[in-house]
Amino acid sequence: MAYSAASKARQILETNDRYIAGGVFSLNRKIDPMRVFAQARGAHIWDADGNRYIDYHAAFAPYFLGHADPDVDRAVVEAVRTCSSLFGAGTTPWEAELAELLVTCVPTMESVQVTNTGSEAAALALRLARAATGRDGVVLMQGGYNGWEDDVAFNLMDPAERQTPGPDGNLPLHPISAGIPESVQRHIRVVQFNDLAAAERQLQSREVAAVLLEPILQNIGIVKPEPSYLEGLRRLCNEHGTLLIFDEIKTGFRHALGGYQSLCGVTPDLSTFGKAVANGYPLGVIGGKREIMEHFDHPDPRRRALIAGTYNGHPVPVAAAIATLKKLRSREQEIYGHTDRLGQELKQGLRTLFAERDYPVTVARQGSAFVVYFMDHAPKDWLDIARNNDMERDVEYRRRLIDHGIFHFPVASKQGSISFAHTWVDVEQTIEATAKVLDEIG
């Protein structure tokens, strides 16, 4: 459903095209058909013409408590009233409170630092790993997304024919952006998720500073680690003097208060968090073992990793993060229990609908995160999805759901996110709308 020529949204889009390079302030948000959103509350969003949608995109997943959570917003308003100023020198009481909360919630982090975004946190994690190891190499996962910074902007969602590994298991590098120097590319290796042998071949050179990965590949839906995969990476990193970094920007605080690492039982050397940590307010976190984190203030300047940022620790997003973590901690069983039950109910409802129509799909889920793959098995990596997921049917399904008031990001294999604000009624309406969509697409 495209906007009519007379709609308010169409007028806004035309203005954007005149004044914004690319038409939107983050090109990752450019979708087809384009939408102009103007309001959000709880589990729902409204476009500029007043159409309401049940939101399962959640702005790429930060809104675990729901849009405009009253407890979080109340803390933000109070921060604005009392002190929303940047001092640019010294510290504040709120920095101490947030740091203590983070370390309490995620015990594998012995100390932390705060940034404004998850991309910044990932970039700093690699800088820190290089400072600590004296190495430059980085191993990434095909299909994973770890931010926009040069060192990680490779091999996002390549076609299957571009994923033929070399003899060492290293995949051909495909930058996702122009402007990345070739000198950066010399230090980057990419392997398929769940391919422990390929990762091992990269580490044998002893030139790799870090293996950086989402412990569940949630940039491409829900691709779970196979049994012993994460444990195997931990062992290999120990053997070869390489740091293991978990990118928990999406998985952190959505799947468990201690991050996905608390569920899988594997302790990384460093972790990055974002999105759900402040329920949608801009804040990123890097944390880990104290002896590594201390390189941010190492007594030897030659080994010191710079972390700086005028807006790091701004009182407003810090207040949001404190309120979010306090709520998750005090109501942990209620919040995670509710979202998990809704996830299970939605998964079962979708599976029943597709089975009745003899659709070969797989509904993958981890807690409140889910995805429908148009293939007959749960994927083990991005190559599996690229070869077997019916991308055209996937996108058509998503676009038609939007027409029926159910908003999923209209790109194949993208994760859906349930929030604490979703209700059983939302799930029932989603299943009803899905039935109509399946009847339409045949």
Side-chain angles (χ1 to χ4, degrees):
M1 179 184 69
Y3 289 123
S4 68
S7 76
K8 184 177 180 180
R10 174 58 66 84
Q11 296 169 22
I12 293 170
L13 289 173
E14 290 173 353
T15 302
N16 281 16
D17 286 340
R18 284 198 298 272
Y19 299 111
I20 299 175
V24 60
F25 280 157
S26 173
L27 272 296
N28 283 351
R29 298 200 295 261
K30 195 166 187 176
I31 58 175
D32 182 21
M34 196 59 175
R35 285 288 181 273
V36 178
F37 293 109
Q39 185 181 355
R41 185 163 300 279
H44 304 114
I45 54 177
W46 288 260
D47 66 19
D49 292 313
N51 300 303
R52 192 194 79 159
Y53 306 82
I54 300 174
D55 182 24
Y56 292 107
H57 176 49
F60 292 104
Y63 290 99
F64 182 48
L65 295 175
H67 293 283
D69 177 78
D71 297 311
V72 176
D73 282 359
R74 190 178 303 113
V76 167
V77 170
E78 183 62 23
V80 172
R81 285 175 176 165
T82 55
C83 184
S84 62
S85 294
L86 285 166
F87 300 105
T91 186
T92 71
W94 312 293
E95 289 185 6
E97 185 176 6
L98 176 56
E100 184 177 7
L101 268 172
L102 286 164
V103 172
T104 301
C105 291
V106 189
T108 57
M109 295 197 301
E110 297 172 356
S111 68
V112 298
Q113 270 285 358
V114 164
T115 66
N116 299 290
T117 67
S119 288
E120 293 172 58
L124 284 165
L126 292 184
R127 174 179 287 179
L128 193 60
R130 286 165 165 161
T133 64
R135 302 173 179 180
D136 294 329
V138 174
V139 173
L140 305 172
M141 300 297 146
Q142 173 73 54
Y145 180 73
N146 309 110
W148 50 260
E149 191 262 338
D150 283 358
D151 285 302
V152 296
F154 297 95
N155 293 52
L156 195 55
M157 298 169 75
D158 294 330
E161 59 269 19
R162 298 179 73 184
Q163 298 180 60
T164 303
D168 60 355
N170 195 20
L171 294 166
L173 278 184
H174 300 294
I176 63 174
S177 171
I180 299 176
E182 289 188 9
S183 58
V184 171
Q185 301 181 38
R186 289 200 299 268
H187 303 299
I188 307 303
R189 300 100 183 270
V190 179
V191 298
Q192 294 289 358
F193 189 71
N194 278 319
D195 189 344
L196 196 60
E200 183 172 18
R201 287 193 288 271
Q202 306 311 311
L203 299 188
Q204 285 172 345
S205 68
R206 293 192 175 269
E207 297 174 351
V208 176
V211 175
L212 172 62
L213 77 160
E214 300 173 276
I216 297 177
L217 281 190
Q218 286 192 208
N219 176 59
I220 53 174
I222 308 291
V223 180
K224 296 183 180 183
E226 293 181 342
S228 301
Y229 174 66
L230 296 177
E231 293 87 344
L233 285 179
R234 175 70 280 173
R235 173 182 54 80
L236 289 173
C237 286
N238 289 344
E239 290 176 0
H240 296 285
T242 298
L243 299 191
L244 179 62
I245 305 175
F246 278 1
D247 177 342
E248 293 231 43
I249 305 298
K250 275 196 168 185
T251 57
F253 301 107
R254 174 166 286 278
H255 298 323
L257 189 60
Y260 183 73
Q261 58 199 263
S262 69
L263 299 179
C264 70
V266 176
T267 299
D269 297 294
L270 295 172
S271 303
T272 59
F273 292 85
K275 297 189 185 293
V277 68
N279 200 55
Y281 285 88
L283 190 134
V285 176
I286 175 174
K289 296 178 179 178
R290 186 175 303 278
E291 64 267 24
I292 301 171
M293 293 294 293
E294 286 178 347
H295 279 78
F296 279 136
D297 195 27
H298 200 282
D300 183 349
R302 295 168 299 179
R303 301 189 63 192
R304 188 181 305 149
L306 174 66
I307 180 168
T310 298
Y311 293 101
N312 289 2
H314 189 287
V316 170
V318 165
I322 290 170
T324 299
L325 294 179
K326 283 183 173 179
K327 185 166 184 173
L328 291 176
R329 189 174 63 169
S330 64
R331 301 173 64 181
E332 181 177 2
Q333 291 186 349
E334 177 190 2
I335 293 171
Y336 290 101
H338 175 73
T339 53
D340 187 64
R341 287 189 294 272
L342 288 186
Q344 179 59 34
E345 183 74 14
L346 183 55
K347 176 181 179 179
Q348 188 56 51
L350 292 173
R351 290 178 65 180
T352 299
L353 285 178
F354 282 102
E356 289 172 349
R357 292 159 176 80
D358 199 26
Y359 267 79
V361 303
T362 297
V363 184
R365 181 180 76 94
Q366 177 69 41
S368 61
F370 69 98
V371 66
V372 175
Y373 291 113
F374 285 78
M375 52 195 286
D376 62 5
H377 61 277
K380 70 173 187 176
D381 54 30
W382 169 247
L383 179 59
D384 196 357
I385 296 171
R387 284 176 172 169
N388 297 301
N389 190 48
D390 187 335
M391 303 295 189
E392 291 184 4
R393 180 57 59 90
D394 194 333
V395 173
E396 181 184 12
Y397 168 74
R398 291 165 181 267
R399 288 176 177 168
R400 287 182 182 264
L401 279 174
I402 293 172
D403 291 342
H404 285 274
I406 309 299
F407 191 79
H408 283 279
F409 199 67
V411 171
S413 81
K414 285 296 184 180
Q415 163 200 333
S417 300
I418 296 169
S419 76
F420 184 52
H422 281 85
T423 67
W424 298 104
V425 173
D426 293 319
V427 171
E428 290 171 359
Q429 291 178 354
T430 300
I431 293 172
E432 291 171 3
T434 303
K436 294 176 182 177
V437 166
L438 295 183
D439 289 341
E440 290 172 3
I441 63 180

